[in-house]
Amino acid sequence: MAQYKLVKCIINGKYTETMVDVRASLTDMLRNDYSLTSVKKGCEVGECGACNVLIDGECFNSCIYLAVWADGKNIRTLESLMSPDGELSDIQQAFVEEAAIQCGFCTPGFIMTAVEILESGKEYTDEELRKLLSGHLCRCTGYENIMRAVKKTMLKRLGKSVDKV
């Protein structure tokens, strides 16, 4: 017999309450209960990064994070980044400009990791960025365009030149 628990949290800036099966993943709650389809179901064992979301400002693989653990947390998905008038965020625009998107399946997870990186306000070396982005699998882009998009946005936010990116 399944057990259920009420989960109260903030999702993309909105207070929510939902009853969840205590065995359900955060991925399942976000996709099934809130139709947040940017949260992709990839490997479902925490290795591909397609399901990454920010929880209280830190990236987590939502496929291995139980929905009940989200109680009292602030959760952000890719849907939180677009402005009310439909304008893309700077990191989303950089992914477009740098052709860092092909099939797009891994893109939301990469972007949410990039948001965590960018919100730190630090300047990272290429080696550090590679390590920070290493929790993602992409079969299409070869990673270099993704690196350029993240680095370009990081440098712009820090007020530095992006000529040599």
Side-chain angles (χ1 to χ4, degrees):
M1 184 186 308
Q3 293 183 343
Y4 293 88
K5 182 178 177 191
L6 181 64
V7 174
K8 301 174 186 179
C9 59
I10 296 171
I11 300 175
N12 296 333
K14 296 178 184 170
Y15 177 80
T16 64
E17 290 185 9
T18 191
M19 290 296 286
V20 298
D21 185 314
V22 295
R23 300 164 297 176
S25 70
L26 182 56
T27 300
D28 288 334
M29 183 182 90
L30 294 172
R31 289 182 62 83
N32 300 339
D33 297 325
Y34 297 100
S35 299
L36 296 170
T37 57
S38 74
V39 183
K40 303 298 184 200
K41 282 188 129 184
C43 67
E44 296 192 70
V45 293
E47 295 193 7
C48 74
C51 67
N52 269 17
V53 298
L54 289 172
I55 302 172
D56 291 339
E58 185 178 348
C59 256
F60 285 91
N61 293 311
S62 65
C63 70
I64 58 172
Y65 192 97
L66 290 175
V68 294
W69 295 343
D71 193 49
K73 306 284 187 193
N74 183 3
I75 300 160
R76 289 170 57 202
T77 69
L78 185 75
E79 288 86 353
S80 73
L81 301 182
M82 191 177 292
S83 71
D85 63 357
E87 189 175 325
L88 297 177
S89 68
D90 58 349
I91 186 62
Q92 290 171 300
Q93 189 61 44
F95 265 66
V96 172
E97 291 168 4
E98 295 300 323
I101 303 166
Q102 286 187 23
C103 84
F105 192 82
C106 68
T107 305
F110 264 115
I111 289 177
M112 295 314 293
T113 295
V115 168
E116 178 185 27
I117 292 167
L118 296 168
E119 289 182 351
S120 76
K122 298 177 186 174
E123 182 173 356
Y124 294 98
T125 65
D126 287 354
E127 184 178 319
E128 290 169 325
L129 285 175
R130 277 188 185 84
K131 185 174 182 180
L132 290 166
L133 294 168
S134 68
H136 294 272
L137 296 177
C138 175
R139 304 279 188 232
C140 303
T141 66
Y143 300 98
E144 285 307 310
N145 296 354
I146 294 166
M147 273 285 299
R148 266 196 313 278
V150 175
K151 186 173 181 178
K152 176 181 176 180
T153 307
M154 175 188 69
L155 292 173
K156 277 185 176 180
R157 285 191 183 187
L158 294 171
K160 300 198 174 197
S161 173
V162 296
D163 295 338
K164 299 175 189 174
V165 177

